[in-house]
Amino acid sequence: MTRRERTVDVLVVGAGPAGLGAGAELAASGAGHVEILEREQTAGGIPRHCFHGGFGAGRIGGGAIGPVYARQCVAAAVRAGATLRTSVTVTGWAGPRTLDTTGPTGLERITARAVVLATGARERPRSARLVPGTRPPGVYTTGELQQAVHLFRQRIGTRAVVIGNEPVSHAAADTLRVAGLDVIALVTDQPPSPLPAAPVRARHRTPRLTHATVTGLTGRERLTGVSLRHRDGRTTTLPCDTVVFTGDWIPDHELARRGGATLDPGTRGPAYDASYRTLATGVFAVGNLLHGVESAGTAAAEGRAVAASVLRHLAADPWPTGRPALAVDAPLEWIAPNLVALDGSRPLHDRFTLRTGRRLLRPILVVGQDGHVLHRERLLLPAVPNRSFRLRGDWLDRVDPHGGTVRITVH
Amino acid sequence: MTPTITATGALAHRLPDGDGDATTYDVTVIGAGVVGTAVARELARYRLRTALIDGSDDIGNGTSKANTAILHTGFDAVPGSLEARLVRDGQRRLAAYAAVTGIPVERVGALLVAWDEEQLAALPALAAKAERNDYHAARIIEAGELRAREPHLGPGALGALEIPDESIICPWTTPLAYATQAVRAGVHLHLNCRVRHIDSGQDVHTLTTTRGPLRTRYLINVAGLYADELDRQLGHDAFTVTPRRGQLIVFDKLARDLVDHILLPVPTAAGKGVLVAPTVFGNVLLGPTAEELDDKTATGSSADGLALLREKGRRILPGLLDEEVTAVYAGLRAATGHEDYRIRAYPDQRYVAVGGIRSTGLTASMAIAAYVTELLAGTGLDLGTPTELPPLVMPQLGEAFPRPYRRAELIAADPAYGTLVCHCERVSAGEIRDALTSTIPARSKDGLRRRTRAGGGRCQGFYCGAAVRALIEEARP
Ligand SMILES: Cc1cc2nc3c(=O)[nH]c(=O)nc-3n(C[C@H](O)[C@H](O)[C@H](O)COP(=O)(O)OP(=O)(O)OC[C@H]3O[C@@H](n4cnc5c(N)ncnc54)[C@H](O)[C@@H]3O)c2cc1C
Ligand SMILES: Cc1cc2nc3c(=O)[nH]c(=O)nc-3n(C[C@H](O)[C@H](O)[C@H](O)COP(=O)(O)OP(=O)(O)OC[C@H]3O[C@@H](n4cnc5c(N)ncnc54)[C@H](O)[C@@H]3O)c2cc1C
């Protein structure tokens, strides 16, 4: 086997907003030879096929449409001097900071002084959600749907059902309408949301079926229906030829895991601290790989923020060991970052990100370690499933570096 | 010779012309599953005008696409049965064929794990049964050795019977290799060609198909779940196929390190039970269930079935349940109520029925084909002398073998093999192009997946689904 062997200073895997943000900032701050590898033929990550606004301008309204934002991220990284290579897939590890790649120009083995993983997240497909029934065509995730409609202009179908109730679910419904389908229902197993729907959504009166569980798919040559069980035990079948399974994110953690970056049990992304350091020496992680899905702006900001930590590492800062973990108790699902940095670094905007599995009305979050309460905080807004909420980080300096797991519970 | 493969239009126009009776085949094989394609491949060695027909739009689209993909030793077959003989013979033939053809096979070995005293006590009898099936390498191992060899096994395993030669195989490359060799050697393949009615005249059978009539002197019925219905058309009442559904869960490749062997339960009266096995694609399988149904199309999965599998899987390999699920599928075994195959020749009708190829047909396929060809000769057809078929090398789909994305020389010669389209399964544009233009080209996403693995990975199309569909549409004539 002949692999071209090379060395670089920093290798960034994935050219989405996070990887491009990291590459741009690192190149600009003199990290040396910074190379970003992207397996797709075009860099930019998920925003390449998000043909709606809202990118790069906070969470609500404004901002560019996805493809424009993606191009801006690419341009910024290249302008800063990072080497961006597309159609190059990282296929595995040959050493602690040595990666094997495949591309049309051949096989390589690249050793870096620091590796930044920015491989993103995807939606769980129907199979991973264990939705029983037949396996007909017409079943999508939002990722596949958006590419089919916006990048390939493929024909989808006529009547669609969207499963999920996250921002991405509405993006899926919008894409279906653009493609000329009737969106007959948005289905969620969650209770009705007491929050008013976002104003942009109001013009589309898609019936929202809450407290409804998908129990199966029917159809053989083509999908014919989605079967549901309602809270009162009633079962119905929605006739449709298209169904989109949205949300329910899973970080693309294969590379991280194979490289020894142990996962956090909550996020299913690599465990990491506020300096984006994983449990594998010299391996950093940023963006959606860390925590299901956040906005592209957050991913990019994490990418830029990792640069300072990488520079410290390149300047021979020792990799921490024995960092206490952060863990949540149900109904909380996860917290990120989920390792205590020990060097005093604080998470982005001095806030931790959390998710809950069940709606919580003005909960009190309690942070404790080994029986001591470190912090208490009452949230001013309800916490709802599939949307992140934040916890202040100013209690971090009270953590005992030699103590046990820091637990976050709800009172 | 350009292979004859048709999927549309009336058959009459496609029949071989030339001398003699231009519109009649010598032999027609109904059903292009793993058994039918094996039979066609065997017949391709003789100077016969042979047709292989299937109601579906691809070969291997019935039970053959949805099994547990184990190349059995036959250690637990009913001693003395036809099945026992053909499984043993088939295992040897297919292992040898796979080695030269590039069908992925991994000899991982099986462990029949005893979870209680009663099961432990049953192991010696199973070892003795293996002996009677002419399998001599079975060995009982103690709990300590078992744990050392399968450290992730759930608590409570007391011992196991080791079958070192049980192997895993690619269920999709196998029938594709058979069919490819058959059509290259001149067998006509007609797809989308369902047989509705059979008229058996003095010298020829006339098959009424969804693509018009087809005439054939000899007939071989390898129609899987529907073999009984065709058999009745010929006036027999020899067997009834009742589908026995097996649902399976495919776990992510990251689960592969949890298991080294095929982990079998100790069989009970209720059947072979639920196993955990690696796949040649680098995943882990959990299944199958065994459900008696009466609907021959019921290949869907059910909530109960999946719950049962998860419960069993948690006991066998607790860590498995924490891993992501890649796919869920179900296959239907052709059970007949008999503990054996139902293969029989009717010389006066120039007809061979191949029924009840239950849960071992992949393994036994080549042996069944040889046996059927023998029976056919016994019905009076002069086969002539066999020739060697030109060798065939299939695209490599096995994770344990160098696939194109890891082959520098291949990529240097053709960069398309270095351009990955399906990221989860690392399938290159070159492989997809090849599958869309091969002897028996892929016509659908499913067909392409079975030829390349494209779209069959953990994301199930989130990343590559649209791109793969675009490539298929581009290739459509
Ligand atoms: C349907 C949808 C709608 C959205 N809408 C919005 C919105 O309106 N506003 C907003 O702010 N955010 C939105 N988001 C979220 C936003 O897209 C993500 O937060 C952002 O893309 C995350 O950036 P990332 O760099 O972490 O990951 P990604 O954008 O997923 O990029 C990861 C990159 O890594 C590459 N990669 C992975 N593995 C390898 C490997 N082994 N080798 C080489 N390359 C690899 C991938 O190909 C990919 O390009 C949306 C997301 C989706 C899915
Ligand atoms: C869950 C499960 C697990 C299994 N595990 C294993 C295993 O580990 N190892 C092993 O060796 N075997 C295994 N098997 C068994 C194996 O899959 C089958 O024995 C084998 O696939 C049968 O092949 P076949 O060609 O007889 O049938 P099929 O593959 O069903 O082919 C029959 C074909 O006939 C066609 N057909 C039917 N009626 C007509 C008609 N009227 N006109 C035209 N065409 C028609 C169908 O379209 C179909 O393609 C398993 C089976 C199941 C269900």
Side-chain angles (χ1 to χ4, degrees):
Chain A
M1 183 167 47
T2 39
R3 285 186 181 272
R4 202 154 65 90
E5 301 205 12
R6 296 195 298 119
T7 56
V8 298
D9 291 297
V10 186
L11 196 63
V12 181
V13 185
L20 292 166
E25 195 70 18
L26 280 160
S29 50
H33 183 179
V34 177
E35 187 161 310
I36 311 171
L37 302 180
E38 169 56 51
R39 63 190 183 183
E40 298 287 348
Q41 290 168 35
T42 316
I46 295 285
R48 282 182 306 121
H49 48 79
C50 295
F51 276 63
H52 56 269
F55 281 88
R59 293 178 70 80
I60 306 163
I65 68 162
V68 172
Y69 179 72
R71 284 197 291 274
Q72 289 167 356
C73 293
V74 171
V78 173
R79 212 183 313 117
T83 304
L84 172 60
R85 297 170 65 217
T86 54
S87 292
V88 178
T89 304
V90 175
T91 58
W93 302 81
R97 285 179 317 284
T98 305
L99 291 160
D100 282 349
T101 70
T102 290
T105 55
L107 307 183
E108 290 187 325
R109 176 160 291 175
I110 307 173
T111 300
R113 296 169 63 212
V115 174
V116 179
L117 300 179
T119 52
R122 64 178 191 275
E123 295 162 297
R124 281 199 179 78
R126 171 263 176 112
S127 52
R129 303 180 196 213
L130 294 177
V131 172
T134 53
R135 305 199 335 160
V139 184
Y140 294 86
T141 47
T142 316
E144 178 173 359
L145 175 75
Q146 291 193 156
Q147 295 190 58
V149 171
H150 296 305
L151 302 186
F152 292 94
R153 316 222 164 265
Q154 286 162 357
R155 288 196 39 208
I156 302 300
T158 54
R159 278 166 65 85
V161 170
V162 174
I163 314 296
N165 186 24
E166 303 186 30
V168 68
S169 319
H170 302 286
D174 289 344
T175 301
L176 288 163
R177 283 188 205 95
V178 167
L181 283 85
D182 285 331
V183 184
I184 57 167
L186 217 118
V187 175
T188 168
D189 55 6
Q190 298 292 324
S193 167
L195 299 173
V200 262
R201 312 292 173 208
R203 29 174 226 272
H204 311 296
R205 303 241 165 263
T206 301
R208 198 168 306 192
L209 300 178
T210 53
H211 273 315
T213 312
V214 182
T215 54
L217 302 186
T218 54
R220 204 152 286 277
E221 302 300 316
R222 178 75 200 197
L223 180 74
T224 55
V226 173
S227 305
L228 304 177
R229 190 180 49 245
H230 301 272
R231 189 160 59 148
D232 56 10
R234 231 172 4 108
T235 56
T236 49
T237 297
L238 303 173
C240 60
D241 59 14
T242 303
V243 62
V244 188
F245 286 89
T246 70
D248 193 356
W249 304 95
I250 171 83
D252 256 313
H253 57 217
E254 184 191 17
L255 205 56
R257 223 175 125 180
R258 294 214 190 271
T262 311
L263 301 191
D264 175 77
T267 60
R268 310 292 289 164
Y272 76 108
D273 65 20
S275 295
Y276 304 97
R277 291 174 299 201
T278 69
L279 288 163
T281 303
V283 179
F284 298 80
V286 287
N288 279 344
L289 166 63
L290 297 174
H291 42 54
V293 97
E294 295 296 315
S295 77
T298 301
E302 289 174 341
R304 287 192 299 272
V306 79
S309 321
V310 173
L311 287 171
R312 279 204 306 277
H313 173 67
L314 295 180
D317 193 24
W319 203 258
T321 53
R323 286 166 283 177
L326 296 158
V328 295
D329 286 333
L332 298 177
E333 289 183 329
W334 53 255
I335 181 164
N338 30 50
L339 293 174
V340 179
L342 297 181
D343 59 3
S345 54
R346 296 282 186 81
L348 195 65
H349 308 309
D350 207 6
R351 291 279 189 281
F352 284 90
T353 304
L354 294 94
R355 294 244 176 154
T356 174
R358 159 161 81 65
R359 191 180 141 76
L360 304 168
L361 196 70
R362 304 207 336 125
I364 299 175
L365 300 180
V366 179
V367 182
Q369 186 189 28
D370 303 327
H372 304 287
V373 171
L374 304 178
H375 176 72
R376 263 173 191 280
E377 183 174 335
R378 180 186 283 281
L379 295 191
L380 298 177
L381 289 173
V384 296
N386 302 324
R387 296 236 189 344
S388 297
F389 57 95
R390 321 276 160 195
L391 169 72
R392 285 209 314 266
D394 51 9
W395 44 269
L396 266 171
D397 43 18
R398 296 199 282 281
V399 171
D400 174 2
H402 308 293
T405 297
V406 176
R407 299 207 79 84
I408 294 87
T409 49
V410 180
H411 282 234
Chain B
M1 158 177 20
T2 29
T4 300
I5 302 168
T6 74
T8 52
L11 287 172
H13 303 297
R14 314 277 188 168
L15 289 186
D17 37 33
D19 49 14
D21 186 353
T23 57
T24 306
Y25 286 106
D26 293 323
V27 189
T28 295
V29 180
I30 307 176
V34 72
V35 180
T37 53
V39 170
R41 177 189 167 279
E42 188 65 33
L43 295 176
R45 300 169 62 221
Y46 300 91
R47 284 184 59 86
L48 297 168
R49 290 186 301 183
T50 303
L52 171 63
I53 65 177
D54 200 286
S56 154
D57 69 349
D58 200 357
I59 62 115
N61 222 348
T63 297
S64 298
K65 74 178 175 194
N67 51 47
T68 14
I70 292 168
L71 184 58
H72 295 293
T73 55
F75 77 95
D76 60 346
V78 178
S81 63
L82 178 63
E83 183 178 15
R85 191 179 98 201
L86 295 182
V87 167
R88 190 162 63 239
D89 180 28
Q91 190 267 343
R92 288 178 195 145
R93 286 174 186 256
L94 182 48
Y97 180 69
V100 296
T101 315
I103 297 169
V105 172
E106 285 180 60
R107 183 178 165 277
V108 291
L111 296 170
L112 260 102
V113 181
W115 295 97
D116 58 36
E117 291 297 340
E118 196 184 328
Q119 293 177 2
L120 192 65
L123 296 184
L126 285 162
K129 188 179 185 186
E131 291 284 339
R132 274 186 288 149
N133 279 317
D134 202 19
Y135 183 75
H136 306 292
R139 188 173 72 95
I140 293 174
I141 63 172
E142 315 253 285
E145 183 181 347
L146 174 58
R147 189 139 304 277
R149 296 187 50 187
E150 286 292 354
H152 300 283
L153 215 55
L158 301 179
L161 181 68
E162 187 202 6
I163 314 293
D165 299 292
E166 289 279 300
S167 302
I168 53 177
I169 185 168
C170 175
W172 302 324
T173 312
T174 305
L176 188 63
Y178 296 157
T180 300
Q181 259 187 325
V183 300
R184 284 192 188 166
V187 171
H188 289 195
L189 173 63
H190 301 300
L191 298 168
N192 292 320
C193 184
R194 174 160 291 277
V195 177
R196 294 206 187 284
H197 188 73
I198 303 173
D199 269 318
S200 292
Q202 198 65 305
D203 304 306
V204 290
H205 304 276
T206 303
L207 312 183
T208 306
T209 81
T210 43
R211 293 180 53 203
L214 180 149
R215 285 149 57 85
T216 184
R217 291 166 58 218
Y218 289 79
L219 190 61
I220 303 177
N221 166 12
V222 207
L225 296 166
Y226 299 90
D228 59 338
E229 293 171 21
L230 293 180
D231 203 48
R232 288 208 173 86
Q233 294 253 342
L234 285 135
H236 307 293
D237 191 12
F239 60 95
T240 298
V241 175
T242 43
R244 183 181 294 155
R245 180 164 66 186
Q247 304 184 40
L248 294 120
I249 301 177
V250 183
F251 285 87
D252 191 274
K253 295 180 201 309
L254 287 159
R256 179 63 182 81
D257 295 341
L258 291 174
V259 57
D260 281 330
H261 303 80
I262 302 160
L263 301 177
L264 302 170
V266 174
T268 64
K272 285 189 183 176
V274 172
L275 59 80
V276 171
T279 74
V280 293
F281 312 120
N283 298 74
V284 177
L285 264 186
L286 170 64
T289 57
E291 307 154 59
E292 306 288 340
L293 306 174
D294 46 25
D295 178 358
K296 290 178 178 178
T297 64
T299 50
S301 54
S302 69
D304 290 348
L306 299 181
L308 175 100
L309 290 182
R310 286 167 55 80
E311 181 196 315
K312 301 256 184 200
R314 182 167 284 124
R315 170 100 198 255
I316 303 168
L317 209 62
L320 189 59
L321 277 294
D322 294 333
E323 300 293 342
E324 291 290 317
V325 168
T326 297
V328 170
Y329 66 92
L332 301 175
R333 308 166 184 89
T336 59
H338 296 273
E339 288 286 288
D340 207 349
Y341 296 161
R342 313 298 282 170
I343 305 179
R344 190 164 158 192
Y346 299 90
D348 50 332
Q349 285 186 304
R350 304 170 315 282
Y351 165 59
V352 181
V354 186
I357 310 301
R358 319 177 301 155
S359 53
T360 49
L362 169 59
T363 306
S365 52
M366 292 187 94
I368 296 173
Y371 180 62
V372 165
T373 306
E374 231 173 77
L375 292 180
L376 190 66
T379 65
L381 176 61
D382 179 12
L383 296 172
T385 43
T387 52
E388 285 274 315
L389 294 175
L392 173 73
V393 176
M394 295 299 287
Q396 181 52 257
L397 301 192
E399 199 73 359
F401 307 86
R403 293 182 45 225
Y405 80 91
R406 291 203 276 151
R407 292 178 55 192
E409 80 297 347
L410 199 63
I411 297 169
D414 184 350
Y417 293 111
T419 306
L420 299 196
V421 176
C422 166
H423 301 298
C424 304
E425 296 295 317
R426 294 176 180 159
V427 183
S428 64
E431 291 162 275
I432 292 174
R433 173 203 62 205
D434 294 351
L436 292 170
T437 54
S438 60
T439 304
I440 303 175
R443 286 157 212 280
S444 63
K445 263 188 136 171
D446 284 350
L448 186 68
R449 175 166 46 80
R450 293 198 293 269
R451 284 163 179 78
T452 63
R453 292 168 48 175
R458 57 172 71 88
C459 90
Q460 295 281 303
F462 177 94
Y463 290 114
C464 74
V468 165
R469 196 171 319 106
L471 292 172
I472 295 171
E473 276 163 19
E474 249 169 57
R476 280 217 175 103

